[in-house]
Amino acid sequence: QVQLVESGGGLVQPGGSLRLSCAASGVISRPNTMGWYRQAPGKERELVAAATNSGITNYADSVKGRFTISRDNAKNKVYLQMNTLKPEDTAVYYCNHRTASIGYWGQGTQVTVSS
């Protein structure tokens, strides 16, 4: 019942910045959490950042101080501003929408950090 469309991935040099966007459509239940996960080849998918509809945020230790998650609840969108990118940030980034009963995933967008 919820569809997620992601955009903003690409190739960037170390130290550069990217902003990812995710738009949710369909039946949006509240409360909910929207967030970003990432997965590199051969590695487990991990939480990067998440935000509730009430404004509470949390981040993986590896991205604290560099990444910022924000939400536009009126438009059902979530963003991930990524600064000071490192090669180890290279992964497919997935948007996630979670309620008390079910979670939804976007299609993923590739982020590659390389010189």
Side-chain angles (χ1 to χ4, degrees), residues 36-97:
W36 294 92
Y37 290 70
R38 67 186 181 188
Q39 187 169 24
K43 298 181 180 179
E44 296 181 349
R45 188 173 298 186
E46 64 176 353
L47 174 68
V48 177
T52 69
N53 55 268
S54 61
I56 300 172
T57 61
N58 66 284
Y59 298 88
D61 288 341
S62 60
V63 307
K64 286 182 178 178
R66 300 189 297 122
F67 292 10
T68 302
I69 189 169
S70 60
R71 292 182 59 153
D72 184 337
N73 290 331
K75 297 182 178 180
N76 293 316
K77 291 184 176 181
V78 63
Y79 307 91
L80 185 67
Q81 179 66 46
M82 304 185 293
N83 298 325
T84 319
L85 283 160
K86 304 175 180 179
E88 49 263 45
D89 295 319
T90 296
V92 177
Y93 284 69
Y94 296 91
C95 182
N96 174 263
H97 174 92

Side-chain angles (χ1 to χ4, degrees), residues 5 19 22 28 30 35 42 49 58 70 79 83 90 93 102 109 112:
V5 179
R19 190 179 78 153
C22 175
I28 307 300
R30 299 182 189 275
N58 66 284
S70 60
Y79 307 91
N83 298 325
T90 296
Y93 284 69
I102 195 170
T109 184
T112 302

Side-chain angles (χ1 to χ4, degrees), residues 15-28:
S17 298
L18 284 173
R19 190 179 78 153
L20 305 183
S21 300
C22 175
S25 61
V27 180
I28 307 300

